Amino acid sequence: MRKILIVLLSIAAVVAIAVFVAIRWLGPSYTVVVPKYVESGELVQVEQGWTDAQRLTFHHTAQGTKLIPYAWFKVLEQPCFSLTGCEAFREPNYISRFGFLQSKADPKLNPDGLPVGFSRQEDFFDPIIGKSYPALGLTCAACHTGELHYGKYAVRIEGAPAMIEVTKFQKALGLALGFTQIIPFRYGRFERNVLGSNATAEQKAELKSTFDAFMKLAKAEIKDAEEQKIYVNQAGFSRTDALTRIGNQVFAVDMKNEKNFTASNAPVRFPQIWDASWFTWVQYNSSIASPMARNIGEALGVRAIAKLYGPTAGEFANSVHVEGLWTVERLLSGPAPYQGLRSPKWPAVFPALDPEKVAKGAALYKKNCAGCHLPPVNELIEDLNSKSPRNWWKNSLGRMFLKISDVPIEVVGTDPHEARDFMARKADSGALNKGVISAAEGLDLVTRGIAEKFYAKAGFTKEQRDEWNGFHADGDPAVRAVPVYKARPLNGIWAVAPYLHNGSVPNLYLLLSPKSDRPATFWLGSKRYDPKNVGFDMSELEGGYLYETKNPGNDNGGHEFRDGPRQNGVIGPLLSPEDRWCLIEFLKSM
């Protein structure tokens, strides 16, 4: 018996070494290169109208998304090449390399001290197997919590775009799971750590079956995406092709129809989300009005599950945690405009503003910017409280919403991929029996179906439904596809670099300059802030993302100030360097 055991262990060792050598030989496909860990510095929390408890709620409230079962995440090793074991994947200094921000432990919301934007949901419901279990998920805050590093300070901005690399993080997680599956010694450690040293044979068999089934589905999804070259055009740090990814998850993965996949060619910068609850339309292409539709779509895009295939497709079984979405939306919106999350003010730890330049910049803003981006917030509040508001729309429920300017894509001249791709996209609705429909119709159908399922089960009255829909009436349009980009107010614009909807311009000075002055390439991934030009450090960064404007969706044209006819992206006259600096100083003050 002892000889047999020795032989088996020897075979396992040989297999493990062979796997190890093969992985090393295969190279880049089995490695993840990200920037080195950088200490963030002294945390500065900008006043935005939230308490510490509200910030923590935003950071860690579950929304029904699942990356992997939580028990697996707690013991998963990093995807390193070692026969003796790797450090924990959840080690803060490792996850921080993908741009995620460290957070405080909390016995209720964050017992294991997960980074900002991660949640532990004890009652995650999996509609595919009809069971609930603890799961690791992502929250809204993962993509919408920013941090600016300046000197010894790390300035935290709630609701600002995050400098995270989602694709590389997913790849690292996938490799960590893959190495666990194929390296015997590694799986043995995983099994012991998940189940304990006294696990029964039945428990081990169940874990192995569940793990292999999870990996089979994940590999099939990856195979479909690779064969169709869906995600060849990488978004990099601070960006994702949100609408395409949501559509791929809903129409292809959740409907089990790989023909519904669409190539991702419209990456966009994570948008700032303060005030958005009270806009007439959100998304860069002004495509979504209903906050509930927006939030359900966002949850589906970061891997909430909906069972939209088979004879029960019309029941819209799903994992979306609607209560969590509602909790976060109330934090963001508050009871009325400008009473929820507020835009940040220029921090005291940054260089002081020049009052004379601010005053000159205010006049330049009124002349060159306010026509599209609307007046500053103080004037919008005065307008809201006036007898005849000019910039606000009252809907049938008596609620006021800010009328955001929609600018035709041929006028603003910025990269048209997001608007045009969404307009052109079609999907076979399959078992939902609606035939071939547009992406807008499909997302409206699914998000409404999920919301209505929850409302019916909860026994909501019409008034409760209206409230949870963000006071958008049932008959109001929720999703649309139009050839425009919206021009939102610019309060807090200094905290949301890089600029334009696709993040193609690294700082505000270059945004106010002609296209000829804008770089064709620059690097993303650093949180080092440049308060003069107003943007992040764009110098070469090992493990960062090289932004190339020649790639699909990455064009940096449009929204130009240069002499010539006002057309094809030229929106104003050439500004002198002095005027640009004054306008920037005013934008910092907003």
Side-chain angles (χ1 to χ4, degrees), residues 276-559:
S277 302
W278 301 102
F279 292 168
T280 46
W281 292 92
V282 297
Q283 296 288 13
Y284 287 111
N285 64 340
S286 204
S287 58
I288 298 179
S290 164
M292 185 56 74
R294 161 171 48 86
N295 290 327
I296 291 175
E298 179 268 327
L300 292 171
V302 288
R303 307 199 74 83
I305 303 171
K307 187 178 182 296
L308 304 176
Y309 61 89
T312 61
E315 296 178 8
F316 295 100
N318 67 89
S319 70
V320 177
H321 195 264
V322 178
E323 299 98 322
L325 296 180
W326 170 234
T327 296
V328 170
E329 184 63 29
R330 282 187 301 172
L331 283 176
L332 292 170
S333 70
Y338 306 113
Q339 294 181 25
L341 178 66
R342 296 199 295 263
S343 56
K345 295 298 183 183
W346 187 255
V349 298
F350 286 177
L353 300 180
D354 182 326
E356 184 177 345
K357 286 185 176 180
V358 170
K360 291 180 180 178
L364 289 165
Y365 178 87
K366 185 175 182 179
K367 178 180 179 181
N368 295 285
C369 309
C372 289
H373 290 287
L374 304 183
V377 167
N378 62 318
E379 295 182 31
L380 290 174
I381 293 175
E382 290 178 9
D383 183 33
L384 173 64
N385 295 323
S386 69
K387 291 182 179 180
S388 302
R390 300 183 309 277
N391 297 297
W392 297 84
W393 168 67
K394 180 184 287 188
N395 73 354
S396 61
L397 298 178
R399 294 286 169 155
M400 302 293 285
F401 293 89
L402 185 63
K403 293 187 290 187
I404 299 300
S405 302
D406 288 334
V407 185
I409 56 177
E410 64 271 13
V411 173
V412 69
T414 52
D415 192 291
H417 274 80
E418 190 200 31
R420 288 180 177 164
D421 288 3
F422 189 63
M423 291 178 65
R425 185 168 190 175
K426 305 290 184 184
D428 181 351
S429 64
L432 293 178
N433 297 317
K434 299 295 182 180
V436 175
I437 55 180
S438 69
E441 291 170 322
L443 291 179
D444 189 29
L445 173 68
V446 172
T447 55
R448 281 184 189 273
I450 290 173
E452 287 301 320
K453 180 181 177 68
F454 173 82
Y455 296 157
K457 185 177 180 180
F460 276 11
T461 63
K462 179 186 182 302
E463 289 72 24
Q464 287 173 309
R465 290 170 184 249
D466 289 340
E467 184 180 10
W468 282 53
N469 282 332
F471 298 103
H472 285 255
D474 284 341
D476 291 344
V479 185
R480 68 178 185 178
V482 287
V484 302
Y485 288 126
K486 78 175 194 296
R488 64 173 292 157
L490 297 183
N491 49 310
I493 192 66
W494 58 267
V496 304
Y499 294 98
L500 295 184
H501 73 275
N502 60 355
S504 59
V505 182
N507 60 55
L508 275 184
Y509 187 82
L510 292 168
L511 183 64
L512 298 175
S513 303
K515 179 181 178 179
S516 57
D517 291 355
R518 300 170 184 173
T521 63
F522 59 93
W523 289 83
L524 286 173
S526 172
K527 295 188 180 77
R528 258 195 331 188
Y529 188 67
D530 173 2
K532 179 180 179 181
N533 293 287
V534 188
F536 292 104
D537 181 1
M538 58 179 173
S539 58
E540 184 172 353
L541 176 66
E542 183 179 358
Y545 172 74
L546 178 61
Y547 192 111
E548 298 183 83
T549 58
K550 66 181 181 180
N551 291 342
N554 283 7
D555 187 78
N556 66 348
H559 199 282

Side-chain angles (χ1 to χ4, degrees), residues 189-210:
R189 292 192 299 270
F190 174 81
E191 180 185 78
R192 285 192 303 275
N193 291 331
V194 170
L195 299 176
S197 57
N198 297 320
T200 65
E202 289 79 8
Q203 289 173 316
K204 293 179 180 180
E206 181 181 3
L207 175 62
K208 189 68 167 65
S209 175
T210 303

